[in-house]
C-alpha cells in the first residue's frame, strides 16, 4: 500500500515539474519529464509493484536469486577458462594442425651466413669507434634483410 502511494506521489510531482518546464517554453524537456513521471504510475496500475513487494520479502525468491547468481558465476568461470585454454579439445587439435601447415620448413633456418669479420677485410682508414658503430648497423641490416625489409 505504501509503495503504491509513493509511486503515485512521484508521478504527480513529475507531472507538476513537467508542467512548469512546459510553461518555460521547453516543450521537449517537458514531454520527456512527463514520460518519466508516468512510468511509476504505470507500474502500479499493472501490478508490477505488488509483485516486486511480494518478491522482496520472500525467502524463496531470494534463494532463487542466489541460485541464479551461482549459475552465472559458474558459467562465466567456465567461459574464462575455455578462452584461456583456447577453446575445446577439438578446436585446439585443429589449431595445432593448421599451425604446423602454415609454417614453412625453412623458415627457422638463418637467411644470412655468419657475420665474421677478419682483420684483412677491415678498411685501413677507419678508427675503432667507427668500426664498432658499423658492426652495430651490420647487425641491424642483417635483421632487416632476414625479414625482407
Amino acid at each position: 500500500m505504501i509503495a503504491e502511494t509513493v509511486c503515485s506521489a512521484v508521478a504527480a510531482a513529475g507531472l507538476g515539474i513537467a508542467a512548469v518546464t512546459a510553461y518555460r517554453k521547453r516543450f521537449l524537456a517537458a514531454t520527456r519529464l512527463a514520460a518519466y513521471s508516468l512510468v511509476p504510475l504505470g507500474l502500479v496500475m499493472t501490478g508490477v509493484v505488488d509483485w516486486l513487494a511480494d518478491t522482496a520479502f520472500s525467502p524463496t525468491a531470494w534463494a532463487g536469486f542466489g541460485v541464479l547468481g551461482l549459475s552465472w558465476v559458474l558459467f562465466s568461470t567456465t567461459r574464462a577458462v575455455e578462452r584461456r585454454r583456447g577453446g575445446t579439445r577439438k578446436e585446439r587439435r585443429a589449431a595445432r594442425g593448421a599451425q604446423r601447415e602454415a609454417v614453412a620448413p625453412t623458415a627457422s633456418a638463418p637467411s644470412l651466413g655468419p657475420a665474421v669479420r677478419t682483420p684483412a677485410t677491415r678498411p685501413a682508414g677507419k678508427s675503432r669507434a667507427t668500426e664498432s658503430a658499423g658492426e652495430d648497423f651490420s647487425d641491424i641490416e642483417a635483421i632487416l634483410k632476414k625479414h625482407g625489409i
Side-chain angles (χ1 to χ4, degrees), residues 127-142:
S127 68
R128 277 287 218 210
T130 57
E131 179 183 316
S132 65
E135 286 178 4
D136 290 339
F137 287 122
S138 67
D139 292 341
I140 294 170
E141 287 175 8

Side-chain angles (χ1 to χ4, degrees), residues 31-146:
T31 306
R32 192 174 302 125
L33 280 169
Y36 282 130
S37 65
L38 289 175
V39 169
L41 187 62
L43 290 174
V44 166
M45 293 174 80
T46 57
V48 172
V49 174
D50 287 333
W51 178 78
L52 285 175
D54 291 340
T55 304
F57 298 113
S58 170
T60 307
W62 284 107
F65 286 127
V67 169
L68 287 174
L70 177 65
S71 69
W72 179 80
V73 167
L74 291 174
F75 178 72
S76 61
T77 303
T78 56
R79 291 292 294 165
V81 169
E82 187 176 77
R83 284 186 189 144
R84 191 168 206 168
R85 282 184 168 176
T88 62
R89 187 176 295 181
K90 287 181 182 179
E91 292 171 352
R92 287 193 306 268
R93 284 183 186 163
R96 268 191 241 130
Q99 190 177 28
R100 287 183 188 142
E101 294 170 2
V103 177
T106 59
S108 62
S111 60
L112 298 174
V116 177
R117 279 191 116 162
T118 59
T121 60
R122 184 182 322 152
K126 292 190 178 180
S127 68
R128 277 287 218 210
T130 57
E131 179 183 316
S132 65
E135 286 178 4
D136 290 339
F137 287 122
S138 67
D139 292 341
I140 294 170
E141 287 175 8
I143 292 170
L144 292 173
K145 285 181 183 177
K146 182 178 179 181

